[in-house]
Amino acid sequence: MSQGQHWREQLHEAAAQGDTASLLKVIRSAVAERADVGDYTLMSRLLKRIGRDEASRAGLRPVRVYIARSVTVESWLPYLAVEAAAAGFWLETKVGGYGSFAQELMSPEGALRDFNPDLVVFVTDVEDVAGGLPDACATGKPELVRAEVERGVKTMEDMLTAFRHHHRARLLVQGLCVPDPPVLGDAGDANWEASESRATQRINEQIAALCRRLGDAAFFDENRLASRFGKARWRDERMFRYCRLSIAAEFFAPYARALTHSIKVLFLPPHKVLCTDLDNTLWGGIVGEDKPSGILTGTDFPGNCYRTYQRYLKQLAARGILLAVVSKNNEKDVREAFRVRAQDLALTLDDFISLKISWQDKAVSLRELAQELSLGLDSFVLIDDDSVECEAVRQQVPGVLVIQAPREEPWRLTECVMASGAFDTLSVTAEDRARSDEYRAQAQRAQLENRAASREEFLASLQIVCRFISALEAPLSRTVQLINKTNQFNLTTRRYGTSEVESFAADPGGLALALRARDRFGDAGVIGIALCRTQDGTCTIDTLLLSCRVIGRGIESALLWYIARWAASLGANRLAGEYIPTAKNQPCADFYPRHGFRPAREAGGKQSRICYVLDLATQMPEKPAWIQTEEDLNNEPGPSCARVNEEFAR
């Protein structure tokens, strides 16, 4: 029996039993093993059958996708649905009219507005954006090429700016792909200033910059993807001229996988922790048997393959990914290896936030690490060469993303981690880069707490200072990042993009608030967000969240205290909020009752939620005595109505 037949039998069996979890497991396995076209068609059909609600119950995130296009997309849509499901999404897709993309994007009404998508994917071709580019390049006149580039950029800018003015959906914009062969030929295109490659790249760079300015938008670089697989084969010219199918059928799967990675960064934060095995993963060989002198690392093959992987981990750490060792080994042997082979290793033990080196199950080690770091297991990635260990972790801690290292092909090790998209992100904030230092400071705080006579004495000794700023200046990218990645202390877990945050800030009775915190061990950066609206005497807290790194220090109480003062300055006499339970936000279940709120009502629906209210006329939230604010330190007055409105309207 072929692998494909085996998958099809498993797929039909899971579907017949109504076992969505098993169906998704088979889909993920089939995708990982590169299923064929028939498998993708079947999997796509089965995904449609389970429906949105069942997909959500099975852990998939439903996303409504509208595709504005000037090319044929229907052929690869089944691949996109399947790749998205393997990555944790269930797509409900609507395709716009053929070639009517400009009207759809720029109009405040129409099919796009009626569909109310979560995401708009814009797929077009260079012919429709800068159709005169080949003719301009053929003249060899730079001024004509520049003019065509400017026209192409202006075309895209007009459409996308108008879209953002009317619509708040997230946006994924596919860039332009350089035709192969170029009009000047290979030698001319490589050497002439006025070449198609250079001109197209300039257009793409400006589209990417436009996406950054628009917010909630990502640029998808089709040209880079086509180059990876080979430009000469990327497009079947006959099919493009026949039906405007711009991608050859053999590349539907990798194209859909790359699109999915870009969709993922728009909706989900990257993983935070990379846990690496040691033997035959961080280095070649087994340190307990080969001894430190015998492990493979350094500049010679195949040791240089492992050193490349080590350098990649170092690069991830530089932008805030936490590194940890999870290995079944003797810790003494490991420490000796790092000492003896220091010149051949691109990492030191100090680069790791934690060392879980023992003979206990790796699932146990991962749970311990998650507890120590106060992070959910879905923040973790495990890289391990042992297929048995990988499967054990998948079954025992399914939230962890497991990547099996290619033991027999170590040169593919770094590629496998990159291809997972686990650490892809649209931006890197200052808080990201400082994450390792913050978790090390966390360990120092734990030591101080153990020595303190009481909890209050410990908190006072931290010397916590809070600063309240506009969420637009946090910066805004950090605000959106926190809103979309915070789970444990997040009262409603509503996910918003830049446009929604800006809407709160722009509302006359709205508040988009960010909280920075520091203590004697360092600056934690922006770790809290609140979004509120005040109307008819009631300030409604739509979103209130706090980074899990600072839970339990009273900072959440200081955030509520500030909101109450702000609301009172606008004349509000009530605070209203709600708690929407999820699988992860139990730590904040008692937040409102603990601060004197009384239940107003319990509502049902797709998610049960408990509504709370606090009468500000009889009870104002208090700031913990051990917390100071920048206002305290600078002897500034509290937030008057005029000052707050002025500050947050900026």
Side-chain angles (χ1 to χ4, degrees):
M1 180 187 298
S2 70
Q3 184 66 63
Q5 289 173 317
H6 177 64
W7 284 329
R8 284 188 282 276
E9 286 188 5
Q10 288 187 320
L11 288 165
H12 283 300
E13 181 180 351
Q17 294 177 353
D19 189 346
T20 304
S22 295
L23 176 64
L24 293 175
K25 184 176 180 180
V26 179
I27 286 174
R28 291 187 177 102
S29 297
V31 167
E33 296 297 327
R34 304 295 190 257
D36 61 27
V37 59
D39 297 322
Y40 273 94
T41 302
L42 173 60
M43 289 186 285
S44 174
R45 190 163 64 247
L46 294 176
L47 284 170
K48 285 183 179 179
R49 288 182 188 174
I50 68 174
R52 179 187 182 95
D53 292 341
E54 177 59 27
S56 182
R57 285 192 291 270
L60 298 183
R61 178 169 181 164
V63 177
R64 292 168 63 85
V65 181
Y66 189 95
I67 301 181
R69 49 73 179 265
S70 69
V71 295
T72 298
V73 302
E74 288 81 356
S75 302
W76 48 257
L77 286 183
Y79 289 79
L80 181 61
V82 172
E83 291 287 342
F89 297 93
W90 187 84
L91 303 187
E92 181 181 353
T93 305
K94 181 177 179 59
V95 179
Y98 183 81
S100 60
F101 57 89
Q103 180 181 353
E104 291 168 357
L105 291 172
M106 300 176 77
S107 173
E109 306 295 338
L112 195 157
R113 167 68 72 177
D114 294 342
F115 185 63
N116 190 27
D118 304 303
L119 170 69
V120 172
V121 180
F122 180 29
V123 182
T124 189
D125 185 77
V126 66
E127 288 186 355
D128 303 293
V129 175
L133 196 56
D135 294 336
C137 292
T139 67
K141 297 180 178 179
E143 64 275 14
L144 295 183
V145 176
R146 283 195 296 270
E148 190 59 30
V149 167
E150 290 172 2
R151 275 193 291 271
V153 171
K154 184 68 164 54
T155 296
M156 295 292 286
E157 187 172 17
D158 288 347
M159 286 188 292
L160 300 182
T161 302
F163 165 82
R164 178 54 76 224
H165 181 71
H166 299 303
H167 305 285
R168 291 183 175 176
R170 290 167 172 82
L171 180 64
L172 180 58
V173 182
Q174 179 171 293
L176 308 182
C177 191
V178 179
D180 188 80
V183 69
L184 297 175
D186 291 340
D189 196 76
N191 289 279
W192 286 26
E193 177 188 353
S195 71
E196 272 186 288
S197 295
R198 289 185 177 83
T200 306
Q201 184 60 31
R202 285 198 292 272
I203 295 175
N204 282 340
E205 288 171 356
Q206 294 189 58
I207 295 174
L210 175 61
C211 288
R212 291 192 292 272
R213 292 197 302 273
L214 290 174
D216 297 330
F219 173 75
F220 176 68
D221 196 347
E222 185 199 3
N223 192 56
R224 177 179 297 172
L225 187 65
S227 299
R228 182 176 301 157
F229 288 95
K231 283 287 190 68
R233 295 164 48 216
W234 182 253
R235 172 176 293 185
D236 183 331
E237 192 65 21
R238 181 179 71 90
M239 293 301 295
F240 180 69
R241 296 305 166 193
Y242 176 69
C243 64
R244 298 280 291 180
L245 182 61
S246 59
I247 302 161
E250 64 178 303
F251 299 117
F252 286 169
Y255 175 75
R257 191 170 304 121
L259 273 178
T260 298
H261 285 174
S262 291
I263 292 172
K264 187 176 178 181
V265 300
L266 282 167
F267 288 91
L268 297 175
H271 290 72
K272 296 178 182 176
V273 189
L274 185 151
C275 302
T276 184
D277 183 32
L278 296 175
D279 296 333
N280 290 312
T281 303
L282 193 71
W283 53 58
I286 301 173
V287 69
E289 298 176 3
D290 301 321
K291 307 303 180 186
S293 60
I295 61 173
L296 300 173
T297 184
T299 58
D300 295 331
F301 183 83
N304 54 7
C305 302
Y306 297 99
R307 186 174 171 85
T308 297
Y309 171 63
Q310 296 159 20
R311 289 185 62 193
Y312 176 59
L313 298 194
K314 187 91 170 179
Q315 292 157 6
L316 288 176
R319 60 180 175 91
I321 304 303
L322 303 177
L323 304 181
V325 170
V326 177
S327 174
K328 287 185 175 181
N329 237 312
N330 290 318
E331 185 170 350
K332 181 179 178 181
D333 294 338
V334 171
R335 291 187 178 277
E336 181 70 3
F338 273 91
R339 186 185 68 81
V340 172
R341 301 298 299 275
Q343 296 301 314
D344 296 319
L345 291 164
L347 293 161
T348 70
L349 288 175
D350 290 339
D351 290 310
F352 296 96
I353 198 72
S354 180
L355 303 175
K356 292 294 181 182
I357 305 170
S358 68
W359 295 103
Q360 68 180 2
D361 287 346
K362 293 187 177 181
V364 175
S365 295
L366 287 163
R367 290 193 190 99
E368 289 178 352
L369 185 56
Q371 186 172 8
E372 291 169 11
L373 298 177
S374 298
L375 291 173
L377 284 164
D378 56 358
S379 296
F380 289 75
V381 178
L382 174 68
I383 321 294
D384 199 311
D385 71 295
D386 190 313
S387 58
V388 175
E389 294 285 357
C390 288
E391 185 58 28
V393 171
R394 288 190 184 102
Q395 292 188 18
Q396 296 176 49
V397 278
V400 175
L401 173 63
V402 179
I403 301 173
Q404 186 168 342
R407 183 186 300 176
E408 304 303 322
E409 300 175 310
W411 53 89
R412 293 185 52 242
L413 183 55
T414 302
E415 170 200 335
C416 287
V417 182
M418 288 182 171
S420 72
F423 304 106
D424 290 354
T425 182
L426 290 179
S427 63
V428 178
T429 66
E431 285 77 10
D432 291 329
R433 289 188 287 269
R435 187 175 292 126
S436 292
D437 291 338
E438 172 58 22
Y439 278 98
R440 289 189 174 89
Q442 191 86 308
Q444 293 176 297
R445 294 184 188 100
Q447 293 174 6
L448 181 63
E449 183 175 10
N450 291 334
R451 296 196 299 266
S454 67
R455 179 70 176 168
E456 288 72 21
E457 179 184 309
F458 159 66
L459 291 170
S461 70
L462 288 178
Q463 301 170 15
I464 300 171
V465 178
C466 291
R467 181 185 175 201
F468 301 93
I469 60 175
S470 167
L472 303 184
E473 299 175 359
L476 183 55
S477 60
R478 172 60 177 169
T479 297
V480 173
Q481 183 188 62
L482 269 177
I483 289 172
N484 286 283
K485 78 176 185 179
T486 305
N487 294 305
Q488 293 186 60
F489 201 101
N490 190 335
L491 286 153
T492 56
T493 60
R494 295 189 176 104
R495 308 305 190 184
Y496 291 136
T498 58
S499 57
E500 288 92 348
V501 176
E502 289 171 338
S503 175
F504 275 95
D507 192 306
L511 175 68
L513 178 69
L515 184 157
R516 294 186 65 98
R518 70 177 192 270
D519 64 20
R520 60 185 285 190
F521 294 107
D523 191 335
V526 176
I527 44 79
I529 299 294
L531 302 176
C532 312
R533 283 196 171 94
T534 298
Q535 187 176 13
D536 298 331
T538 298
C539 174
T540 301
I541 303 172
D542 177 277
T543 295
L544 191 150
L545 60 88
L546 196 72
S547 170
C548 58
R549 292 182 284 129
V550 296
I551 292 175
R553 300 180 204 168
I555 295 175
E556 63 275 20
S557 298
L559 182 56
L560 182 64
W561 164 82
Y562 192 94
I563 293 170
R565 290 201 306 163
W566 176 85
S569 73
L570 294 185
N573 52 31
R574 298 199 325 161
L575 278 183
E578 59 184 331
Y579 169 63
I580 302 177
T582 70
K584 298 179 181 179
N585 72 351
Q586 184 62 30
C588 60
D590 66 342
F591 176 75
Y592 284 128
R594 183 158 46 88
H595 289 86
F597 285 69
R598 57 179 176 79
R601 67 182 187 280
E602 186 166 339
K606 292 183 179 179
Q607 284 182 303
S608 63
R609 65 183 188 273
I610 306 172
C611 299
Y612 292 94
V613 66
L614 179 70
D615 186 350
L616 295 178
T618 60
Q619 183 177 355
M620 284 288 290
E622 295 183 355
K623 176 172 63 68
W626 59 83
I627 291 180
Q628 291 183 297
T629 69
E630 292 284 356
E631 295 170 353
D632 297 331
L633 298 178
N634 298 326
N635 294 317
E636 294 178 359
S640 68
C641 180
R643 189 177 68 82
V644 171
N645 282 341
E646 180 182 350
E647 178 180 350
F648 289 98
R650 282 185 296 155

